[in-house]
Amino acid sequence: MSDGRRALLAAAVAAAGATAVALWLARRRVAHKSAYSPVRRARIAVVGCGGWSQGWHLPNLANRSDATIVALVEPSDAPGSGGCMTGRCEATSELVKKYGAPRYHSLEALLAEKRDELDGVLVAAPHTLHCSLGLAVLRAGLHLLLEKPMTTDVNEARALFDAAAGAPGQALILNNTANWQPGCIEARNLIAEGRLGTVRHVSCLFAAPLGWLFEGEAHVGWSKPSGTMMGNGFGWGQLSHTLAWVRPYCPAFVLRHCSHLHAH
């Protein structure tokens, strides 16, 4: 596993608090130390510096001893909140000072100037940009950690999958953080070990008190369809977690029903 690929996976793990996978990575490093020793820090660029990056990705990457943030890509001087930030996001200029990384207004500009100084790219941009940004990263020969949902269009998802399949030495990692929560890991292990028998039916309820995430002008990326995005809100934000975890253990088809409930 290359330095960039390992650090990107570790960033996804950190966002989910998955210590079990972090320990696995550590053991892998010890077991195969001669394969990539001495280890240098993986050089990571972060594309999209809004709430999710500010709340999780940037601080987690900055606190790692095996990765370094070499660039920030953000077209706006004042990124919207979104993600897990309920309050004000820091200005892009403040992020440049905090993380000591230069700012670029586009991924294209970054790749033109720093392609050979990168190992991987973390994309946490609006949903409808995931495909174009992801393809640019993969075509540049870099590892890619992509925030969920993967895309807002099936054909775009297939295009990303095909691009990654054609470059087996590169990582395409989708950051479905719920997959790494302890309960999900335990359930996956029980199924893999056959302790639950043959799975013939899965019934799943996913409820989250995140109404604020889909309301107001600060969160239009979640609630206002654009580009290839059909529908809006909870499906893109949370149902993607459910499907990512349940799908590998489901029978041949999935029946889903979505409801919007108001608490009184």
Side-chain angles (χ1 to χ4, degrees), residues 13 48-49 57 71 77 90 95 100 120 128 144 176 181 190 239 248 264:
V13 170
C49 297
H57 294 309
D77 293 334
E90 294 183 78
L95 298 176
T128 54
L144 169 65
N176 286 306
Q181 293 178 357
L190 290 173
L239 187 60
H264 297 282

Side-chain angles (χ1 to χ4, degrees), residues 47-49 72-79 92 103-107 126 129:
V47 178
C49 297
L72 304 174
V73 178
E74 175 54 59
S76 174
D77 293 334
T92 306
R103 180 260 187 108
Y104 292 82
H105 286 78
S106 69
L107 176 60
L129 301 179

Side-chain angles (χ1 to χ4, degrees), residues 27-219:
R27 287 195 297 269
R28 184 181 177 91
R29 169 176 289 185
V30 172
H32 302 278
K33 187 175 181 180
S34 61
Y36 42 79
S37 181
V39 176
R40 65 165 173 77
R41 287 175 173 242
R43 304 163 300 179
I44 309 298
V46 176
V47 178
C49 297
W52 195 245
S53 287
Q54 292 194 28
W56 289 104
H57 294 309
L58 288 170
N60 281 323
L61 282 171
N63 287 328
R64 296 197 62 83
S65 61
D66 56 359
T68 183
I69 302 170
V70 299
L72 304 174
V73 178
E74 175 54 59
S76 174
D77 293 334
S81 52
C84 58
M85 302 286 285
T86 57
R88 185 187 74 88
C89 277
E90 294 183 78
T92 306
S93 58
E94 294 173 354
L95 298 176
V96 169
K97 295 176 183 177
K98 176 184 287 188
Y99 296 107
R103 180 260 187 108
Y104 292 82
H105 286 78
S106 69
L107 176 60
E108 182 181 21
L110 168 67
L111 294 177
E113 184 173 319
K114 278 187 175 287
R115 162 62 190 85
D116 294 335
E117 300 175 36
L118 292 170
D119 295 305
V121 178
L122 190 160
V123 173
H127 309 334
T128 54
L129 301 179
H130 284 187
C131 182
S132 59
L133 292 172
L135 287 175
V137 171
L138 293 172
R139 288 167 179 166
L142 298 168
H143 300 304
L144 169 65
L145 173 59
L146 185 64
E147 262 299 342
K148 60 86 184 167
M150 184 176 184
T151 67
T152 56
D153 179 89
V154 172
N155 290 328
E156 290 181 349
R158 288 173 175 156
L160 277 172
F161 179 87
D162 290 343
Q170 295 168 234
L172 167 56
I173 305 170
L174 190 60
N175 195 33
N176 286 306
T177 55
N179 284 27
W180 303 106
Q181 293 178 357
C184 293
I185 294 175
E186 178 64 17
R188 183 164 64 242
N189 290 340
L190 290 173
I191 294 171
E193 294 166 5
R195 294 164 63 185
L196 298 182
T198 301
V199 177
R200 301 185 183 279
H201 175 79
V202 176
S203 180
C204 184
L205 172 65
F206 194 114
L210 295 174
W212 59 268
L213 183 58
F214 308 106
E215 299 171 353
E217 289 299 319
H219 303 100

